[in-house]
Amino acid sequence: YLIISLARAQEYQIYHVPIHGTIDMGLPYFIQRVVNEAEEHNAKAIIFDIDTFGGRVDAATQIKDIILDSDVITVAFINKRAISAGALISLSCDSIFMTPGASIGAATAVDLKGNKASEKVISYMREEMASTAEANNRSREIATSMVDEDLSIPYLLNLEGDTLTSKDVEGFSEGKLITLSTHLAVQLGISDKEIETYDDLLIHLNFADAETIEVTETWSEVLVRFLTNPMVAPLFMSLGMLGLFMEIKSPGFGVPGIFGLICLGLFFGSHLLVGLADMTEFIILFFGIILIIMEILVIPGFGVAGISGIILCFYAFFKMLIGTYPSPEDYQAAYMGLSMGILTAVIAAVILYKTIPKTELYKRLIPFTPQKSEEGFTISRGYETLIGEKGKTTTDLRPSGKVEIQGKTYQAFSHGDYIDKNEAILVDGIDENQLLVKKHNN
């Protein structure tokens, strides 16, 4: 009896999956995991709780394919709205139910100025919507008119056999996109029924006694979606570039550089996982970072290598932000994100460069205040006798490096300035066992 009871319970598992907010590139992997799990456990159905204004077309297309390929019955429960990409996802489900006052439609694509996108993009979206609707015996005409306002529908018969025209449905007229209320969606066969609540839906589907599995995202899925969010991704890009910029102004390779590489690693790794980046972007970004590191550690000054590295990095970032099959909205988001990222990095770099050297923490880490002889010297090796001596740098001072004075080599600090190799210097102070020097003009 126990085995039979468990088997029956297994037959009546229902997966409840939220699709709320922006449709981003992290969502398809979450949906794929849920569908795989539901299939493995022989679930009775997957109910997608949908409330979205849309998002990335490529992400919605992936989700549509996952749902259409599912072996488990799929149900869209539109709880308020399924706009744009949300409409495509809803149409891919076996059944659609809508709460009172909900809406579905408005799936057109626009260009960077908010105008209708090119015919190539519109044609693609028309057929995506139409084929998805046809796959579940829904109206092709209505689906295409959700995308293209140039189309018109003279009339359609509703489920009761009544004729509906543009007087009944505004979107039937040329120049208008179709967005359907719950009432019209049910009349036209896009939605199966108006349902008040999720519990009412379970009763209607005879799933009231089923075990409901409330599916939530794992911490890694949440992290990836957070890192690939169009508002967050440019921030990590900015912090990464800012860290590398600060490293250029710091001696050796330390905290700013490590912090920058971690931020860039999080940015690239998350985009690689969701398919927004591939090996091409990885190679471009890798060479960009290598050029920047060479500029920091090997090549004196800041010139062709550093600038070329920054350009390569930003190009790789832009490619990652738009994805493999970008829509006009994706280009717009990428331009805005990249611009804001660069602007943020520049402003932050200027502020930090002006303020950090004046802080007590920076002075403790990189001291450059000369000590006076009347104050006494600590842990001295007799370097106070070198004050006033002239010499030259044997390495770049960034601001730390080595100098040669009277044929001997010493560790030295500049006063926070960059001094090239083989420049004439003057010792004007000491800090314990290191000389403090400045550029000397003969």
Side-chain angles (χ1 to χ4, degrees):
Y1 291 106
L2 178 60
I3 294 176
I4 294 174
S5 299
L6 289 174
R8 287 179 178 173
Q10 186 78 348
E11 290 176 359
Y12 289 96
Q13 278 189 336
I14 304 298
Y15 279 68
H16 183 209
V17 185
I19 299 181
H20 298 163
T22 302
I23 308 297
D24 56 43
M25 285 301 293
L27 189 58
Y29 293 84
F30 168 59
I31 300 300
Q32 184 67 73
R33 176 177 67 83
V34 172
V35 170
N36 291 343
E37 185 178 325
E39 290 176 345
E40 289 174 4
H41 291 84
N42 297 316
K44 195 72 172 179
I46 304 173
I47 299 176
F48 296 100
D49 194 318
I50 300 175
D51 183 10
T52 176
F53 284 103
R56 294 189 66 105
V57 173
D58 45 1
T61 302
Q62 290 184 34
I63 295 171
K64 180 263 296 185
D65 292 339
I66 294 169
I67 293 175
L68 287 178
D69 293 339
S70 171
D71 295 330
V72 180
I73 294 172
T74 54
V75 178
F77 180 51
I78 302 177
N79 187 6
K80 300 308 179 191
R81 62 195 57 83
I83 304 302
S84 190
L88 178 61
I89 294 171
S90 299
L91 290 174
S92 67
C93 293
D94 298 313
S95 302
I96 298 177
F97 297 93
M98 301 172 67
T99 59
S103 58
I104 180 174
T108 193
V110 295
D111 62 17
L112 298 179
K113 297 181 180 179
N115 300 319
K116 185 177 177 180
S118 67
E119 175 56 26
K120 178 180 179 180
V121 176
I122 295 297
S123 175
Y124 168 76
M125 280 302 299
R126 278 200 305 260
E127 285 308 307
E128 278 289 329
M129 292 287 287
S131 61
T132 303
E134 287 180 331
N136 290 309
N137 299 314
R138 299 189 181 99
S139 171
R140 174 187 179 90
E141 291 80 5
I142 292 176
T144 54
S145 294
M146 287 181 178
V147 177
D148 192 351
E149 70 268 22
D150 288 343
L151 300 178
S152 63
I153 301 176
Y155 67 90
L156 277 179
L157 296 178
N158 65 15
L159 296 181
E160 286 77 31
D162 298 326
T163 302
L164 297 181
T165 67
S166 58
K167 294 181 180 179
D168 306 296
V169 183
E170 185 180 15
F172 281 9
S173 301
E174 185 175 345
K176 301 289 185 181
L177 285 175
I178 285 185
T179 300
L180 300 176
S181 65
T182 300
H183 178 68
L184 285 174
V186 172
Q187 275 193 319
L188 294 169
I190 295 298
S191 175
D192 294 82
K193 188 177 177 63
E194 179 179 312
I195 298 291
E196 187 80 28
T197 66
Y198 177 74
D199 291 336
D200 293 337
L201 177 62
L202 294 181
I203 294 172
H204 175 75
L205 296 174
N206 295 320
F207 293 154
D209 296 329
E211 178 190 0
T212 298
I213 307 297
E214 298 288 346
V215 183
T216 57
E217 293 172 295
T218 64
W219 69 268
S220 57
E221 290 167 341
V222 171
L223 178 62
V224 169
R225 291 192 67 184
F226 173 76
L227 292 174
T228 55
N229 185 290
M231 300 300 294
V232 175
L235 175 62
F236 278 85
M237 177 189 71
S238 302
L239 292 174
M241 296 306 298
L242 179 60
L244 294 183
F245 175 82
M246 294 302 295
E247 188 61 47
I248 294 172
K249 298 296 182 180
S250 304
F253 190 80
V255 175
I258 294 172
F259 176 77
L261 291 178
I262 289 174
C263 289
L264 292 180
L266 289 172
F267 174 87
F268 176 76
S270 59
H271 284 68
L272 182 64
L273 284 174
V274 300
L276 285 170
D278 56 24
M279 288 306 298
T280 301
E281 283 83 17
F282 173 78
I283 292 172
I284 295 173
L285 181 63
F286 176 77
F287 277 107
I289 293 176
I290 289 297
L291 287 174
I292 293 174
I293 292 176
M294 287 177 61
E295 188 71 56
I296 295 172
L297 301 178
V298 180
I299 305 173
F302 189 73
V304 176
I307 294 172
S308 299
I310 290 175
I311 292 174
L312 286 177
C313 287
F314 281 131
Y315 178 73
F317 295 152
F318 179 75
K319 292 285 289 181
M320 290 182 221
L321 290 173
I322 63 174
T324 306
Y325 303 105
S327 68
E329 294 92 338
D330 298 332
Y331 275 107
Q332 186 175 23
Y335 282 128
M336 289 296 296
L338 189 63
S339 299
M340 292 302 296
I342 295 174
L343 184 62
T344 302
V346 170
I347 293 174
V350 171
I351 292 174
L352 292 176
Y353 186 66
K354 294 289 186 181
T355 59
I356 283 184
K358 299 178 182 179
T359 63
E360 291 299 323
L361 176 62
Y362 185 85
K363 292 177 181 178
R364 286 197 297 268
L365 293 175
I366 308 178
F368 56 85
T369 304
Q371 295 182 348
K372 300 178 180 179
S373 57
E374 59 266 28
E375 296 175 351
F377 298 98
T378 59
I379 320 178
S380 174
R381 294 182 177 178
Y383 288 170
E384 60 271 15
T385 60
L386 296 175
I387 295 176
E389 293 289 339
K390 301 174 184 177
K392 69 174 183 177
T393 57
T394 57
T395 66
D396 298 328
L397 300 188
R398 297 175 177 261
S400 175
K402 295 185 182 299
V403 299
E404 181 181 315
I405 300 171
Q406 299 176 356
K408 294 183 179 181
T409 300
Y410 299 89
Q411 186 69 27
F413 265 101
S414 70
H415 291 262
D417 300 325
Y418 179 90
I419 302 178
D420 289 325
K421 182 179 178 180
N422 293 324
E423 289 280 346
I425 52 92
L426 174 70
V427 181
D428 64 347
I430 64 170
D431 178 62
E432 297 185 348
N433 293 324
Q434 296 190 101
L435 304 179
L436 295 172
V437 302
K438 64 181 180 181
K439 188 180 294 188
H440 178 66
N441 296 322
N442 295 322

